[in-house]
Amino acid sequence: MKRKLSALLCCVLVLALAGCQEEVEEPLLDPTVTVEATAAQTGDLSTQSTYIGTISAEGTASVVAMVSGNVEQVAVAAGDTVSAGDLLCRFDDESARLTLQNAQAAVNSARETYNSAVANYGGSDLTLLQEQLRLAQDNYDDTQALLAIGAASQAEVDQAYQALLSAQAGVEAARASLSSAQAGIQSAQVGVASAQYQLSLYNLTAPISGVVEAVNVTENNFTASGTAAFVISNGTNKTVTFYVTDSVRKTLTPGQAVTVNYNGQTYSGAVTEISGVVNAQVGQFQVKAVIDGAQDLPDGLSVELTTTAHQAVGAVLVPSDAMFFENGVAYVYLLQDGTAVRADVTIGLYTEDQVAVTAGLTPGDQVITTWSSTLRDGAAVQLAGQEDQETAPEETAPEDSSAAGSASAPQASASASASSPEAGSEEAEG
């Protein structure tokens, strides 16, 4: 009986030991987020809008002065034949050139301020401050561990925590300073673009080809803004009249290209007149454009007209997929030293593919373009493809060398990528 009981206990013990050996500790999940990133670049962005216009038999284009000033040169006379783009007259643009020089100087000053801030913080990626923060975090963690075993006091833990808070505040202050300096550069660049646009208005050019019917300016005399300085006629053209909002009117320029579509046919033309007064009946600003080779279009016909409505010149461009929104605030994540860093931005223009950012980014910033539910400020990240380089497949030898021809198949892992969040919508005008 005792022998049977001893054998039974031995069996139970063997089974218990076997069960313990089968328990395998589950590996911890790697919190690192795999992302894709691209460098922010400087460029121009524009949007096209479509309007309903009305065809009329006016074969003439009135070239209206957009600025006031002294006329330095009149390049044509009544009866002359001109081509689209030819110079008609030039205003004294000394003040406009001075404004442009001041705007360019403001850009240089803003860049010097940014470079100074970068130098103070040990590099554009805040290397020095971030290293101090890492050391403070390690010291705090180590001091807490020592407290748990009685090798450190609570006062030492509190001191380490205060040092950690100070390091965090230093990094945040540096980021805010650099962001402010970046915003200063972008604001100054907008000033340069505006000054360049204003300077372009001091030269009046022919919006269409034709014959100069009237010249209403003279050299060395003052001409007020809104004056119909020249009238050009072309018997093969027709005029299309349409209306725009004030925000669009401010971006239109004489000679700007337009396209008219009707009954499957496409006609090219150019803006010739931009009214500075709201039409009382429509509540918007009247714009006229002359269309080439549109003799077959009857007067009074309604047509679709397309032209550039909004544009951002010299802006910082990023993919639309990189943009996030929270409580009305737009932001992106930057890739800095393997960490995702949130950067709030100001949007100037939004299209389906790209966004023009007017504040919050500088050219060259590495912007994360993929979305993940675990992506947040301070998250550890790595570029797609790096995980394949860092992880090498392990070869497993057969357990039984006598089993000839046996091989184990490597396990394959699959990853799924999430789509980007909803992008903001743009209001259509006109």
Side-chain angles (χ1 to χ4, degrees):
M1 185 66 179
K2 291 182 179 180
R3 292 180 179 177
K4 293 183 178 179
L5 181 58
S6 299
L8 180 60
L9 290 175
C10 289
C11 291
V12 172
L13 181 59
V14 169
L15 292 175
L17 290 175
C20 292
Q21 292 176 353
E22 290 178 357
E23 291 182 1
V24 179
E25 184 179 354
E26 294 184 1
L28 296 176
L29 295 178
D30 186 358
T32 303
V33 184
T34 300
V35 300
E36 294 180 356
T38 186
Q41 299 180 349
T42 302
D44 301 337
L45 187 64
S46 62
T47 60
Q48 299 284 317
S49 289
T50 300
Y51 306 90
I52 300 300
T54 304
I55 297 294
S56 63
E58 303 174 29
T60 62
S62 296
V63 184
V64 179
M66 302 294 288
V67 296
S68 299
N70 187 60
V71 178
E72 283 192 338
Q73 176 189 5
V74 178
V76 297
D80 288 350
T81 299
V82 294
S83 299
D86 286 352
L87 177 67
L88 301 179
C89 76
R90 183 175 66 249
F91 286 80
D92 178 9
D93 59 4
E94 182 178 357
S95 62
R97 291 187 179 278
L98 180 60
T99 300
L100 177 58
Q101 291 176 1
N102 291 335
Q104 291 171 334
V107 171
N108 294 334
S109 176
R111 285 175 177 165
E112 291 177 359
T113 300
Y114 177 77
N115 292 335
S116 177
V118 169
N120 290 337
Y121 297 127
S124 60
D125 54 359
L126 309 179
T127 304
L128 180 60
L129 291 178
Q130 288 177 336
E131 178 62 17
Q132 292 174 350
L133 175 59
R134 186 188 67 79
L135 294 175
Q137 182 68 59
D138 290 345
N139 181 56
Y140 176 64
D141 295 339
D142 292 343
T143 308
Q144 279 190 314
L146 292 174
L147 176 64
I149 63 175
S153 64
Q154 183 61 47
E156 290 174 319
V157 172
D158 294 341
Q159 184 178 2
Y161 181 64
Q162 291 301 322
L164 175 60
L165 293 180
S166 177
Q168 290 174 338
V171 172
E172 291 175 359
R175 286 175 179 168
S177 178
L178 291 176
S179 178
S180 176
Q182 291 170 352
I185 293 176
Q186 291 163 357
S187 176
Q189 289 173 334
V190 171
V192 169
S194 176
Q196 290 173 334
Y197 169 73
Q198 290 296 322
L199 180 60
S200 69
L201 300 179
Y202 283 77
N203 289 336
L204 290 186
T205 58
I208 62 171
S209 301
V211 177
V212 178
E213 297 290 346
V215 178
N216 300 322
V217 295
T218 55
E219 289 186 2
N220 301 320
N221 280 302
F222 180 84
T223 297
S225 173
T227 301
F230 300 89
V231 178
I232 302 174
S233 65
N234 187 324
T236 64
N237 295 332
K238 286 199 174 184
T239 296
V240 58
T241 302
F242 60 104
Y243 297 87
V244 301
T245 62
D246 184 47
S247 62
V248 175
R249 178 188 67 88
K250 292 178 180 178
T251 66
L252 296 180
T253 57
Q256 178 173 315
V258 300
T259 301
V260 169
N261 296 295
Y262 177 74
N263 199 26
Q265 296 293 321
T266 300
Y267 305 85
S268 299
V271 172
T272 56
E273 297 181 31
I274 305 171
S275 176
V277 180
V278 174
N279 183 284
Q281 294 180 338
V282 180
Q284 293 183 329
F285 294 85
Q286 177 178 282
V287 180
K288 290 185 177 182
V290 171
I291 308 302
D292 298 329
Q295 305 94 321
D296 57 326
L297 299 181
D299 296 348
L301 178 68
S302 294
V303 294
E304 285 189 353
L305 179 144
T306 303
T307 190
T308 299
H310 299 91
Q311 56 183 342
V313 179
V316 178
L317 304 182
V318 298
S320 300
D321 290 342
M323 200 64 55
F324 292 81
F325 298 90
E326 181 180 20
N327 298 325
V329 177
Y331 63 95
V332 298
Y333 286 110
L334 302 181
L335 176 59
Q336 296 182 351
D337 295 333
T339 302
V341 178
R342 171 171 168 165
D344 293 346
V345 299
T346 301
I347 294 177
L349 190 59
Y350 201 116
T351 68
E352 182 179 355
D353 298 322
Q354 287 185 306
V355 178
V357 175
T358 58
L361 293 178
T362 55
D365 285 343
Q366 291 295 316
V367 180
I368 295 175
T369 58
T370 49
W371 180 88
S372 171
S373 60
T374 57
L375 185 62
R376 56 179 55 86
D377 190 29
V381 295
Q382 64 181 356
L383 287 175
Q386 287 185 345
E387 69 276 16
D388 295 334
Q389 298 174 2
E390 296 173 357
T391 305
E394 298 181 357
E395 295 183 357
T396 304
E399 294 182 359
D400 185 2
S401 58
S402 63
S406 64
S408 59
Q411 295 182 348
S413 61
S415 61
S417 60
S419 60
S420 61
E422 295 181 358
S425 60
E426 178 184 359
E427 295 182 0
E429 300 193 61

